Amino acid sequence: MTKTLTAAAGDEPRKKKTPKLRDGVIKRGTTWSYVIRVKDPETGESKPRWVSGFATEDDAKAARDEARVRARRGEYIDRNTITVAAYLAEWIEGHAVEIKPHTLKGYRDMIRLYIGPRIGNVRLQALRPAAITKFYRDLLTSGGRKGGPLAANTVKHVHTVLRKALTDAVLVDELLPNNPAERAKLPRTQPTEPGTIWTTAQLRAFLATAQEHRLYAFFHLAAYTGARRGELLNLRWTDVDLDKPQILITGTAAVIDRQRVEGTTKSGRSRVVSLAPSTVIVLKAHRARQDEERLRLGESWKGGGAYVFTTGWGDPLFPDTPSSLMPKLIETHNKQNPRAQLPHARLHDLRHIHATTLLLAGVPVHVVAARLGHADPAITLRVYAHVIHEQAATAADVFAKAVGG
């Protein structure tokens, strides 16, 4: 027997409710969406832009209002789901050609070690200044090895990389309306000053000990020109003019992934550095020794006479060679002179000795900056502020003596 089901009297089929759009906001399923109209800058035509995925109606309305303001200003940015890690991966590859190899490695390390593990999964357009500020604080307290604190200067380097990348996200890729890193609070860092600076007498003592080594000319040139390690290792004999006398610094050498690489100077510009007569004598003796080595090895010589500083076989030196040699020479000196011990110093400290000696002698800051290869004398003022302060303390006496005399 077949039963026919009929609707009870008064019952009506239920109609499926259609979500209603109210002032550009609508609920779809369990989330909220908004829509605004944005004028295409090329055609001038107004087109709808839908954005979804908001947890509440209020969130959708707040985002809608912000989008409307940006649209009126011509600053509207289409929503994008790319994460910080994905964007940085694209960004670093896009800049690999124009960034110096050593700098590029530093950028990659900052992204791999610090940015990626902590905020890499955050959606780029969801990154806010407060989140970046917290990120920096977390690095300071637990960003180092084994969860220990990270040096403030390293956090500053992380900020530099993140700020550069997000600037491109705003200006080049147009993924962000503004740079949240610019408004984040960077931890305060104390300005770093050079460490222990040898006196001129201590420098003379060190060079007297180094004079017995085949690379004595390297240490002499580093101290008497203030050039950076990589700049001297990149130096060719064609860059040396012993008649004028001067050297032309055009590039630098570094080691990346155990490979020696060469690039431009830190400022990106070449510079001429004058030489003292004593330095000319040292370089002539160095070249004569190198010529003897080349003649002795004959076809086994690998240098071809290009580089000023080479191994005994003529290969260009790796940067670690003079750096590791300096403490050995200091140790040798201290063993030979127990009553005149030299304190520990790095190879880079020879550059600081050069700059400090010139500044204390009254050489103008801009002249010292040009000699060191600083792009701006303000860098010299900042690095050697303690020396400038020493000079300032005696400025009144210098003026009084000049006028009184």
Side-chain angles (χ1 to χ4, degrees), residues 13 21 30 82 87 117 147 186 203 215 232 253 261 273 304 307 327 364 389:
L21 183 67
T30 60
I82 190 171
Y87 177 75
L186 187 64
L203 175 61
L215 291 180
L232 295 179
V261 296
V273 180
Y307 290 94
H389 291 160

Side-chain angles (χ1 to χ4, degrees), residues 78 97 117 201 236 279 340 361 367 402:
D78 284 330
V97 176
R236 272 82 162 170
T279 304
V367 175

Side-chain angles (χ1 to χ4, degrees), residues 137-151:
R137 287 201 309 266
D138 291 344
L139 286 181
L140 271 179
T141 57
S142 61
R145 291 183 178 180
K146 298 181 179 180
L150 189 65

Side-chain angles (χ1 to χ4, degrees), residues 139-387:
L139 286 181
L140 271 179
T141 57
S142 61
R145 291 183 178 180
K146 298 181 179 180
L150 189 65
N153 281 333
T154 304
V155 178
K156 187 176 180 180
H157 291 322
V158 172
H159 168 73
T160 298
V161 176
L162 188 60
R163 179 174 52 80
K164 284 179 178 291
L166 296 185
T167 295
D168 282 350
V170 175
L171 301 178
V172 179
D173 300 307
E174 298 183 344
L175 291 172
L176 296 175
N178 51 62
N179 187 343
E182 295 285 0
R183 292 174 289 155
K185 295 181 180 179
L186 187 64
R188 291 184 179 181
T189 57
Q190 295 294 330
T192 56
E193 294 182 353
T196 302
I197 300 297
W198 283 345
T199 64
T200 52
Q202 288 173 325
L203 175 61
R204 286 195 299 271
F206 168 76
L207 291 178
T209 301
Q211 196 167 6
E212 303 302 319
H213 197 279
R214 62 179 299 277
L215 291 180
Y216 161 66
F218 179 91
F219 296 102
H220 179 99
L221 199 59
Y224 276 71
T225 64
R228 300 177 179 93
R229 177 186 69 175
E231 294 171 341
L232 295 179
L233 294 180
N234 187 66
L235 197 66
R236 272 82 162 170
W237 282 113
T238 52
D239 300 323
V240 179
D241 189 334
L242 297 180
D243 295 324
K244 286 192 175 179
Q246 63 186 28
I247 59 173
L248 177 63
I249 295 177
T250 60
T252 188
V255 172
I256 299 176
D257 296 330
R258 300 182 181 180
Q259 296 293 322
R260 188 181 190 275
V261 296
E262 296 181 353
T264 61
T265 61
K266 193 170 183 178
S267 66
R269 294 176 291 186
S270 60
R271 69 183 188 278
V272 174
V273 180
S274 60
L275 302 177
S278 59
T279 304
V280 173
I281 295 173
V282 169
L283 285 176
K284 285 182 176 179
H286 177 72
R287 186 161 197 175
R289 174 184 283 183
Q290 192 180 75
D291 288 342
E292 291 177 2
E293 291 175 340
R294 183 169 59 250
L295 290 174
R296 185 168 62 252
L297 290 174
E299 295 181 358
S300 298
W301 178 262
K302 300 178 181 180
Y307 290 94
V308 175
F309 301 108
T310 65
T311 66
W313 293 92
D315 289 318
L317 286 178
F318 267 59
D320 287 345
T321 300
S323 293
S324 60
L325 176 59
M326 184 162 176
K328 295 177 182 177
L329 292 173
I330 294 174
E331 183 181 1
T332 298
H333 173 275
N334 290 341
K335 287 181 179 179
Q336 296 173 350
N337 303 273
R339 295 185 179 181
Q341 298 281 294
L342 288 176
H344 169 75
R346 305 165 303 161
L347 177 59
H348 194 72
D349 291 328
L350 297 181
R351 175 176 169 87
H352 294 320
I353 296 170
H354 184 83
T356 301
T357 304
L358 292 180
L359 290 170
L360 289 176
V363 177
V365 172
H366 71 277
V367 175
V368 178
R371 193 167 177 84
L372 296 177
H374 286 164
D376 187 337
I379 300 174
T380 314
L381 287 170
R382 184 170 65 250
V383 175
Y384 300 101
H386 62 298
V387 181

